[in-house]
Amino acid sequence: MEIVLSGIRPTGHLHIGNYLGALRNFTKMQYEHRCYFFIADLHSLTTHPKSADFHDNVRNVLAEYLAAGLNPDIATIYIQSDVPEISELYVLLNMLAYQGELERTASFKEKVRKQADNVNAGLLTYPVLMASDILAHRAHKVPVGKDQEQHLEMTRTFARRFNNLYGVEVFPEPAAFNFGNELIKIPGLDGSGKMGKSEGNGIFLIDDEKTVTKKVMRAVTDSGPTHPHSELSEPVRNIFTLLEIVSSPDVVAHFRTLYDHCTIRYGDLKKQLAADLWKIIAPVHTRIAEIKSDRDYLRKVTLQGAAKARESAHATLKEVKKTMGFRAF
């Protein structure tokens, strides 16, 4: 049974891209593999979240994880900061990471561009902390989107570098877990890029039906096809991509035929997309409210998850420190 790890930052609520891209598969996968799911609260500090919102954001994501179907009695579900072994491993792995390779990561360059007034060391070493999350449990598989492939490759580099430097095989080199398909990227509603919280273009699992519909109806399109079998513009292609994920093949074929014949009405396309999205979101939306209000249950889940995660991470850290030469007097 392979070890599989996945985490998400608590910078708000989970969006439909998180759910469609991974969570629905996680609910099945947790019964087939040894799975670790965590809330990456340390990672979120790179953007300096307001302390007043910090705990609520963690609670939101935890409740949404559970509402989506993750089972704390089967999988290990924990909060990153509850496992101090990860932070200690992060310090040790930083000694094997080099400035040049960290500065060349696409995510660092993007963050420098987007938050030029907050280029902190955490942004630079973000891939090292991500590697620590993965290597702490010696995970074999990591579900990642296309935007995270470079970070996963760096994790393999750090694992290989440690093993080669000390002549050991402490760390496996983790591979991307994509549920048998190509790595997917859920597009946003703003005409370009992926769906994400920071981009402000997402539909969230906490959204009600009215909000979902309103967001979809405001999605960017274009002026329509100019001739039969016109090439799809990026904004319209994004909408069709979402439709292909949530709607039946005959619905997709219907609207694609209308587009090819220049008779499509984007308003009808969006209404269909909104309705099909809500069918998926509705049952999760209801469960979120129930779970979020049960603080005793959430506390039980986090304590249970931290204990299991620490046991795994402690065993790894102990071996790493012994290999590096740390000894007790």
Side-chain angles (χ1 to χ4, degrees), residues 70-278:
L70 297 189
N71 186 340
D73 294 324
I74 301 298
T76 300
I77 304 170
Y78 63 98
I79 299 168
Q80 186 184 31
S81 61
D82 284 345
V83 185
E85 290 83 358
I86 292 172
S87 296
E88 188 171 354
L89 182 59
Y90 171 46
V91 171
L92 299 177
L93 289 181
N94 266 319
M95 309 310 169
L96 302 179
Y98 302 115
Q99 178 182 348
E101 64 187 348
L102 294 174
E103 288 179 338
R104 288 193 295 271
T105 60
S107 61
F108 178 68
K109 293 177 181 178
E110 180 183 6
K111 291 297 184 181
V112 168
R113 187 172 64 253
K114 287 186 175 181
Q115 55 184 72
D117 59 341
N118 180 26
V119 183
N120 54 71
L123 284 176
L124 181 65
T125 60
Y126 192 101
V128 186
L129 181 53
M130 181 173 170
S132 301
D133 292 321
I134 298 166
L135 299 178
H137 302 297
R138 291 183 261 199
H140 302 100
K141 302 288 186 180
V142 184
V144 293
K146 294 188 73 65
D147 57 315
Q148 292 291 324
E149 285 185 282
Q150 187 180 25
H151 285 174
L152 185 58
E153 180 57 41
M154 293 184 74
T155 298
R156 289 193 285 269
T157 296
F158 299 146
R160 189 164 52 248
R161 187 174 293 161
F162 182 93
N163 292 343
N164 291 339
L165 180 62
Y166 294 103
V168 294
E169 289 296 328
V170 171
F171 296 125
E173 294 185 28
F177 193 109
N178 55 18
F179 314 107
N181 303 304
E182 292 184 1
L183 300 179
I184 63 174
K185 184 176 180 180
I186 305 297
L189 300 172
D190 55 352
S192 63
K194 69 167 186 173
M195 183 176 290
K197 292 180 285 292
S198 57
E199 288 79 3
N201 61 6
I203 295 172
F204 300 98
L205 298 180
I206 198 68
D207 289 342
D208 58 24
E209 184 176 11
K210 183 177 179 180
T211 302
V212 170
T213 301
K214 185 176 180 180
K215 286 183 175 181
V216 173
M217 296 307 292
R218 287 198 312 231
V220 175
T221 53
D222 56 25
S223 58
T226 56
H227 57 272
H229 303 287
S230 295
E231 194 72 28
L232 295 175
S233 64
E234 184 173 9
V236 176
R237 185 169 60 250
N238 286 351
I239 293 177
F240 269 102
T241 296
L242 284 169
L243 196 73
E244 289 167 359
I245 295 170
V246 303
S247 305
S248 62
D250 60 308
V251 168
V252 177
H254 169 71
F255 282 102
R256 190 57 201 255
T257 298
L258 292 178
Y259 185 90
D260 288 342
H261 291 133
C262 300
T263 56
I264 193 167
R265 295 171 51 149
Y266 288 145
D268 293 338
L269 172 63
K270 292 178 181 180
K271 287 178 183 177
Q272 182 69 54
L273 176 59
D276 290 343
L277 278 168
W278 180 245

Side-chain angles (χ1 to χ4, degrees), residues 45-57:
L45 294 176
T46 59
T47 56
H48 295 177
K50 295 180 181 178
S51 57
D53 301 331
F54 192 67
H55 179 71
D56 280 344
N57 286 343

